[in-house]
Amino acid sequence: MLCKFKRLIYRADDAWTIALYRPCEAILDSTGQKLREIKAVGWYLPTGEKLRYDLKGRWSKTSKHGIQFEVESCEEAISPTREGIVAYLSSGQIKGVGPKTAERIYEAFGDDTLRVLDTEPKKLLCIRGINENKLRKIRDSYLASHGARDVVTFLAPYGITPNRAVKLYRHYGERTLDVLRRHPYQLCELNGTGFITADKIAMSLGLDRCSPERIEAALLYTLTEAESRGNLCMEKHEFINGCLKILNTPELTLKATVEVASRLIMCGTLETYESMIYRSRAAVAERLLAKRMHDLLTAKVCAPTSDLPAKLDELERRLSLNLNAEQRKAVLTAVTSQVTIITGGPGTGKTLTQRALLALYREIEPCGKVICCAPTGRAARRMEEAADESAATIHRALGIQAGDDYSHCEPQMLEAGLVLVDEVSMLDAYLAERLLSAVPRGCRLVLVGDSEQLPSVGPGAVLAELIDSGRIPVIRLERIYRQSRGSRIVTNAKLIRSGSLALEYGEDFQLYESPEFSHSAELMEELYLREITEFGVENVALLTPFRQKTDTCVNTLNARLRDKVNPPDAAKPEAVYGRRCFRLGDRVMQTKNYERANNGDVGHVSSICFDGGDAVITVDFGYGRLMEYEGSELEMLDLAYASTIHKSQGSEYSAVIINLQCAHSVMLVRPLIYTAVTRAKERVIIVGERRALCLAIRRADAEKRGTMLAERLRELES
């Protein structure tokens, strides 16, 4: 049925749409009268006013809504003429394309324009005014309005957003619907949708609940979920039981599940090591990580012939370093060993040790190249400032884009005599394997980190496992250097590490008891405004365990603080995408690895402009890193006045405000509070319940992560 859009009645957040259309052909009702308008319902219905649409579906009638047309699919009825194609491109359906750009595109490709958009979109880069960013916007909106519309409609009833549907279409192209109908469980792999949603689609298509395909999907999803919780592997019995729980099918036997798992092992999709089971990708990463570390440990390093202790003595005098015995041992071990780990808490002199190490290496290897790196941009900048040496993110050092799949990209070799890596506790197994694969044999590798902090967001427990292996020289810095300010912070950090509740309180370490969430939120707002007056917005962090659902969660606090710190103003433009709103001057955080921005990087909105009604915002991440965001890309940004404790890793602030409530009990473990406290240089303020603080300190650690890196290293030694 050919129609033209008339008026939008309703569009929900999930893109469910009610709209009026004007028929382009005679449509008669039950009495024989010609319909002047049609009420259509469906997901992601088109609303462009210049085009005709071919709606397919069925009529329905209810007592509440009357007669309406339930749209099952639709597409633009585009005339294959210059006028038709230009009208379509400039209709508003294709973001970033106005009448002039539409004319230029048609001039370049003629009647072949739509085919180029479908199969060779990069050709549009030759059009004046179209760059990579604009091309991405054009391509995404074209897919949404044209080829992907049926996919969007198909997936919408299952709670899959149009943006996700478009991404899926981008991967499979015209085969998408066929793939979804034949292999719906691939959603678990490619779209991050989850087993439950994929299972709903499969069940609606009539798939047997005991089918091997369903069991296989559940097995793989069980391991995928385990990885999202930081595990590279699972105990075999835990793995099978977890799968059966997901399947929730009483008639399904344990034997049938084990048979499918065995088949996946035989074909290499799953791997086993001792009593553990892995996805193949995870097993390969862990195995290669152990092998590469073994290769580095067994390589020969040219030992300096000169008297190193004497040289270090002379450097100490010349540079006024004043190292203690632990630090001297760390420096001397690092310049004479293939691999060295230096670990210690705040205030133990890790930074001073790194400076001394670099100075001694320069002394004994004047022509030797040094590479300093860290997992995040913030950690790299801290390293650069503290060690007085240029530093980069590990991604940049390896020549890897932040959003790349590490397993499919070959890192560039680190041509250096010394590679120094800071904040190694944040390093997951995949990135660690890529890093070690780029370190040449004979190069000195020095890993620095605090093993008591929270483990990496990604799977694995690299630093802890390397230490536990017993294969690598480990120097522990224990002595605390008291400073005129912040002494209670480092003292209390050490007490927390040991599980002691005898914390010292004073000006630089405060506790405000507040059992109620609402009162805690008010108090934290008051304290935050006080602290930024003294230290500035960039130097104050408000940290909380949870992202949503309480008055003291990250999302609520961000909205609350933003309106105080950066209130609305007619002179400040805003960019709105869904429920997200960003204002000029806002402090924001990158939440996904993407191009030159890493997950956790913090910057500010430096400009907001509008391109054809669509907001384009520029974020300044510092050090010349400007990133543009528009449309769905805004999903990668959050306000950053408050953040989770996990997101604060690798950062350092003058003052840190921490919320701890007993309702957070599932999150309250010693590494969490230790990580939060050690972000502060000048002042720690805890708001919440003393019982919650005590609970966190008493609870030594969260559940041990599933990884066998230490065992694999010890096995290679034997």
Side-chain angles (χ1 to χ4, degrees), residues 141-177:
S141 58
Y142 174 75
L143 291 175
S145 69
H146 184 59
R149 190 179 299 282
D150 289 347
V151 178
V152 171
T153 302
F154 179 84
L155 293 174
Y158 305 101
I160 296 176
T161 65
N163 285 332
R164 284 189 175 184
V166 168
K167 290 176 183 176
L168 195 66
Y169 185 87
R170 190 185 296 119
H171 185 86
Y172 287 116
E174 295 179 356
R175 299 187 301 115
T176 305
L177 281 177

Coordinates of all heavy atoms in Angstrom, one line a residue, residues 141-177:
S141 N 22.3 6.3 8.7 CA 20.9 6.7 8.4 C 20.3 6.1 7.2 O 19.1 5.8 7.1 CB 20.8 8.2 8.4 OG 21.6 8.8 7.4
Y142 N 21.2 5.8 6.2 CA 20.7 5.2 5.0 C 20.3 3.7 5.3 O 19.2 3.3 4.9 CB 21.8 5.2 3.9 CG 21.4 4.4 2.7 CD1 20.5 4.9 1.8 CD2 21.9 3.1 2.4 CE1 20.1 4.1 0.6 CE2 21.5 2.4 1.3 CZ 20.6 2.9 0.4 OH 20.2 2.1 -0.7
L143 N 21.1 3.1 6.0 CA 20.8 1.7 6.4 C 19.5 1.7 7.3 O 18.6 0.8 7.1 CB 21.9 1.1 7.3 CG 23.2 0.8 6.5 CD1 24.3 0.3 7.5 CD2 22.9 -0.3 5.4
A144 N 19.3 2.6 8.2 CA 18.2 2.7 9.0 C 16.9 3.0 8.2 O 15.8 2.4 8.5 CB 18.3 3.7 10.1
S145 N 17.0 3.8 7.2 CA 15.8 4.2 6.4 C 15.6 3.3 5.2 O 14.5 3.3 4.7 CB 16.0 5.6 5.9 OG 17.0 5.7 4.9
H146 N 16.5 2.5 4.9 CA 16.4 1.7 3.7 C 16.5 0.2 3.9 O 15.6 -0.5 4.4 CB 17.4 2.1 2.6 CG 17.2 1.5 1.3 ND1 16.1 1.5 0.5 CD2 18.1 0.7 0.6 CE1 16.3 0.8 -0.6 NE2 17.5 0.3 -0.6
G147 N 17.7 -0.3 3.8 CA 17.9 -1.8 3.9 C 17.7 -2.4 5.2 O 17.3 -3.5 5.4
A148 N 17.9 -1.6 6.3 CA 17.8 -2.1 7.6 C 16.4 -2.0 8.2 O 16.2 -2.6 9.3 CB 18.8 -1.4 8.6
R149 N 15.5 -1.4 7.5 CA 14.2 -1.1 8.1 C 13.5 -2.4 8.5 O 12.9 -2.6 9.5 CB 13.3 -0.3 7.2 CG 12.0 0.2 7.9 CD 11.2 1.0 7.1 NE 11.9 2.2 6.6 CZ 12.0 3.3 7.4 NH1 11.6 3.3 8.6 NH2 12.6 4.4 6.9
D150 N 13.5 -3.4 7.6 CA 12.9 -4.7 7.9 C 13.5 -5.4 9.1 O 12.8 -6.1 9.9 CB 12.9 -5.6 6.7 CG 12.0 -5.1 5.6 OD1 11.2 -4.2 5.8 OD2 12.1 -5.6 4.4
V151 N 14.8 -5.2 9.2 CA 15.5 -5.8 10.3 C 15.1 -5.1 11.6 O 14.9 -5.8 12.7 CB 17.1 -5.7 10.2 CG1 17.8 -6.3 11.4 CG2 17.5 -6.4 8.9
V152 N 15.0 -3.8 11.6 CA 14.6 -3.1 12.8 C 13.2 -3.5 13.2 O 12.9 -3.8 14.4 CB 14.6 -1.5 12.5 CG1 13.9 -0.8 13.6 CG2 16.0 -1.0 12.3
T153 N 12.3 -3.6 12.2 CA 10.9 -4.1 12.5 C 10.9 -5.5 13.0 O 10.1 -5.8 14.0 CB 10.1 -4.0 11.2 OG1 10.1 -2.6 10.7 CG2 8.6 -4.4 11.5
F154 N 11.7 -6.4 12.5 CA 11.7 -7.7 12.9 C 12.2 -7.9 14.4 O 11.7 -8.6 15.2 CB 12.6 -8.6 12.0 CG 12.8 -10.0 12.4 CD1 11.8 -10.9 12.0 CD2 13.8 -10.5 13.2 CE1 12.0 -12.3 12.3 CE2 14.0 -11.8 13.5 CZ 13.0 -12.7 13.1
L155 N 13.2 -7.1 14.8 CA 13.8 -7.2 16.1 C 13.2 -6.4 17.2 O 13.4 -6.7 18.3 CB 15.3 -6.8 16.0 CG 16.2 -7.8 15.1 CD1 17.6 -7.2 15.0 CD2 16.3 -9.2 15.8
A156 N 12.5 -5.3 16.8 CA 11.9 -4.4 17.8 C 11.0 -5.1 18.8 O 11.1 -4.8 20.0 CB 11.1 -3.3 17.1
P157 N 10.2 -6.1 18.5 CA 9.3 -6.7 19.5 C 10.1 -7.4 20.6 O 9.6 -7.7 21.6 CB 8.5 -7.7 18.7 CG 8.5 -7.2 17.3 CD 9.8 -6.5 17.1
Y158 N 11.4 -7.7 20.3 CA 12.2 -8.4 21.3 C 13.1 -7.5 22.1 O 14.0 -7.9 22.8 CB 13.1 -9.4 20.5 CG 12.3 -10.4 19.7 CD1 12.2 -10.2 18.3 CD2 11.6 -11.4 20.3 CE1 11.5 -11.1 17.5 CE2 10.9 -12.3 19.5 CZ 10.8 -12.1 18.1 OH 10.1 -13.0 17.3
G159 N 12.8 -6.2 22.0 CA 13.6 -5.2 22.8 C 14.9 -4.8 22.3 O 15.7 -4.1 23.0
I160 N 15.2 -5.1 21.0 CA 16.4 -4.7 20.4 C 16.3 -3.3 19.7 O 15.4 -3.1 18.9 CB 16.9 -5.7 19.4 CG1 17.2 -7.0 20.1 CG2 18.2 -5.2 18.6 CD1 17.6 -8.2 19.2
T161 N 17.1 -2.3 20.1 CA 16.9 -1.0 19.6 C 17.3 -0.8 18.2 O 18.0 -1.7 17.6 CB 17.8 0.0 20.4 OG1 19.2 -0.3 20.2 CG2 17.6 -0.1 21.9
P162 N 16.7 0.2 17.5 CA 17.1 0.4 16.1 C 18.6 0.5 15.9 O 19.1 0.1 14.9 CB 16.4 1.7 15.8 CG 15.2 1.7 16.7 CD 15.7 1.1 18.0
N163 N 19.3 1.2 16.8 CA 20.7 1.3 16.6 C 21.4 0.0 16.6 O 22.3 -0.2 15.7 CB 21.3 2.2 17.7 CG 21.0 3.7 17.5 OD1 20.8 4.1 16.4 ND2 20.9 4.4 18.6
R164 N 21.1 -0.9 17.5 CA 21.7 -2.2 17.5 C 21.3 -3.0 16.2 O 22.1 -3.7 15.6 CB 21.2 -3.0 18.7 CG 21.9 -2.6 20.0 CD 21.6 -3.6 21.1 NE 22.3 -3.3 22.3 CZ 22.3 -4.0 23.4 NH1 21.5 -5.1 23.4 NH2 23.0 -3.7 24.4
A165 N 20.0 -2.8 15.8 CA 19.6 -3.5 14.6 C 20.4 -3.0 13.4 O 20.8 -3.9 12.5 CB 18.1 -3.3 14.3
V166 N 20.7 -1.7 13.3 CA 21.4 -1.2 12.2 C 22.9 -1.8 12.2 O 23.4 -2.1 11.2 CB 21.4 0.3 12.2 CG1 22.5 0.9 11.2 CG2 20.1 0.9 11.8
K167 N 23.4 -1.9 13.4 CA 24.8 -2.4 13.5 C 24.8 -3.9 13.0 O 25.8 -4.3 12.4 CB 25.3 -2.3 14.9 CG 25.6 -0.9 15.4 CD 25.9 -0.9 16.9 CE 26.1 0.6 17.3 NZ 26.4 0.7 18.8
L168 N 23.8 -4.6 13.3 CA 23.7 -6.0 12.9 C 23.6 -6.0 11.4 O 24.2 -6.9 10.7 CB 22.4 -6.6 13.5 CG 22.4 -8.1 13.5 CD1 23.5 -8.8 14.3 CD2 21.0 -8.6 14.0
Y169 N 22.8 -5.1 10.8 CA 22.6 -5.1 9.4 C 23.9 -4.7 8.7 O 24.3 -5.2 7.6 CB 21.5 -4.1 9.0 CG 21.2 -4.1 7.5 CD1 20.3 -4.9 6.9 CD2 21.9 -3.2 6.7 CE1 20.0 -4.9 5.6 CE2 21.6 -3.2 5.3 CZ 20.7 -4.0 4.8 OH 20.5 -4.0 3.4
R170 N 24.7 -3.8 9.3 CA 26.0 -3.5 8.8 C 26.9 -4.7 8.7 O 27.7 -4.8 7.8 CB 26.6 -2.4 9.6 CG 27.8 -1.7 9.0 CD 28.5 -0.8 9.9 NE 27.7 0.4 10.2 CZ 27.2 0.7 11.4 NH1 27.6 0.0 12.5 NH2 26.4 1.7 11.6
H171 N 26.8 -5.6 9.6 CA 27.6 -6.8 9.6 C 27.2 -7.8 8.6 O 28.0 -8.3 7.8 CB 27.6 -7.4 11.0 CG 28.5 -8.6 11.1 ND1 29.9 -8.4 11.5 CD2 28.3 -9.9 11.0 CE1 30.4 -9.6 11.5 NE2 29.5 -10.5 11.2
Y172 N 25.9 -8.1 8.5 CA 25.4 -9.1 7.6 C 24.9 -8.7 6.3 O 24.7 -9.5 5.3 CB 24.3 -10.0 8.3 CG 24.8 -10.9 9.4 CD1 24.5 -10.7 10.7 CD2 25.7 -11.9 9.1 CE1 24.9 -11.5 11.7 CE2 26.1 -12.8 10.1 CZ 25.7 -12.6 11.4 OH 26.2 -13.4 12.4
G173 N 24.6 -7.4 6.2 CA 24.0 -6.9 4.9 C 22.7 -7.4 4.6 O 21.8 -7.7 5.5
E174 N 22.5 -7.7 3.3 CA 21.2 -8.2 2.9 C 20.8 -9.6 3.4 O 19.7 -10.0 3.3 CB 21.1 -8.2 1.3 CG 21.2 -6.8 0.7 CD 21.2 -6.8 -0.8 OE1 21.2 -7.9 -1.4 OE2 21.2 -5.7 -1.4
R175 N 21.8 -10.3 4.0 CA 21.5 -11.6 4.5 C 21.0 -11.6 5.9 O 20.7 -12.6 6.5 CB 22.8 -12.4 4.5 CG 23.5 -12.7 3.2 CD 24.6 -13.6 3.3 NE 25.7 -13.1 4.2 CZ 26.0 -13.7 5.3 NH1 25.4 -14.8 5.7 NH2 27.0 -13.2 6.1
T176 N 20.9 -10.4 6.5 CA 20.6 -10.3 7.9 C 19.3 -11.0 8.4 O 19.3 -11.8 9.3 CB 20.5 -8.8 8.3 OG1 21.6 -8.1 8.0 CG2 20.3 -8.7 9.9
L177 N 18.2 -10.8 7.7 CA 17.0 -11.4 8.1 C 17.1 -13.0 7.9 O 16.6 -13.7 8.8 CB 15.8 -10.9 7.2 CG 15.2 -9.6 7.7 CD1 14.1 -9.1 6.7 CD2 14.7 -9.6 9.1

